Amino acid sequence: MEFKTFVFYVLSAIMVFSALRVITSRNPVQAALFLVLAFFTAGGIWLLLAAEFLAIVLIMVYVGAVMVLFLFVVMMLDINLDRLRQGFWSYLPVGALIGVLLVVEMALVLGGRYFGLEAMPTPPAAQGGYSNTRELGRLLYTDYVYPFELASLLLLVAMIVAVTLTLRKRKGVKYVNPSEQVLVRRDERVELISMSAEKE
């Protein structure tokens, strides 16, 4: 067994274990930390596949931004876990059915003739000056430019909808209207009063 294959199996085992701990852990903070471990090992597998840019983006975006924000929210909120577990057993049959369907689908995909080492030939060796980051950018902005722009548009709409849903007008809160503030003149705000000096 080659060293690269050994590292792949070790990283895969760690990732499968951490993914199982994400869904079986009772503590949400521990589940989030196991998800961070899963992202790190997925980045290591991307490095083995010579996709350095995707590995760094996975670690920087998901571990460095998304998971830190998620951990912050989980640790700041007072989550009542007992209340969340009250209706667990009533949803178990539906969850078990979906789990069985996922296992059947994965078995069909992994057992098919279009999935395996013979269906995925070894890619040619990279020539001098090859950059997978440049190739990824070229593919995104040439062959897949419309799906890329559609995904960015969907993310923009999702961001606007999230801001709109959380925006609430509160009564009794003072706020400044910028358009009215710009149109104000000095004569309307400042009044000069001449007073005679007083002596004691």
Side-chain angles (χ1 to χ4, degrees):
M1 179 185 294
E2 297 181 1
F3 180 71
K4 187 175 179 182
T5 308
F6 173 74
V7 172
F8 171 76
Y9 282 121
V10 169
L11 291 177
S12 300
I14 294 173
M15 189 167 66
V16 169
F17 169 74
S18 59
L20 287 175
R21 289 297 295 151
V22 167
I23 61 175
T24 58
S25 179
R26 293 182 177 270
N27 190 345
V29 177
Q30 291 179 359
L33 291 176
F34 276 113
L35 190 56
V36 169
L37 178 62
F39 285 148
F40 267 111
T41 52
I45 292 176
W46 279 111
L47 283 175
L48 286 177
L49 295 174
E52 299 87 5
F53 177 74
L54 293 177
I56 296 299
V57 166
L58 177 69
I59 292 174
M60 287 180 65
V61 172
Y62 284 96
V63 177
V66 175
M67 288 311 302
V68 171
L69 179 64
F70 183 71
L71 270 176
F72 179 75
V73 170
V74 166
M75 294 173 72
M76 291 297 291
L77 293 177
D78 187 16
I79 301 175
N80 190 359
L81 295 177
D82 294 330
R83 186 178 176 186
L84 290 176
R85 293 195 190 105
Q86 283 178 356
F88 174 76
W89 295 106
S90 62
Y91 295 111
L92 186 61
V94 178
L97 178 64
I98 293 175
V100 169
L101 286 176
L102 286 175
V103 168
V104 170
E105 288 178 0
M106 290 300 294
L108 290 175
V109 169
L110 294 175
R113 56 182 171 78
Y114 51 85
F115 190 87
L117 294 177
E118 62 278 355
M120 295 181 289
T122 305
Q127 300 176 355
Y130 175 80
S131 172
N132 59 6
T133 307
R134 184 170 58 233
E135 284 298 315
L136 182 64
R138 185 186 64 77
L139 284 174
L140 278 179
Y141 293 110
T142 54
D143 296 343
Y144 299 99
V145 64
Y146 293 122
F148 181 76
E149 290 185 357
L150 181 62
S152 63
L153 186 64
L154 287 175
L155 288 175
L156 177 65
V157 170
M159 183 176 64
I160 293 172
V161 168
V163 171
T164 305
L165 289 176
T166 56
L167 182 64
R168 291 191 174 44
K169 293 183 179 180
R170 299 178 182 174
K171 295 180 180 179
V173 177
K174 295 181 179 179
Y175 67 95
V176 178
N177 191 348
S179 60
E180 293 178 0
Q181 192 176 20
V182 170
L183 298 176
V184 169
R185 293 178 297 177
R186 183 181 66 87
D187 299 336
E188 298 176 355
R189 292 294 176 96
V190 179
E191 184 178 356
L192 300 176
I193 301 174
S194 62
M195 298 177 60
S196 57
E198 297 181 0
K199 293 182 180 179
E200 294 183 0

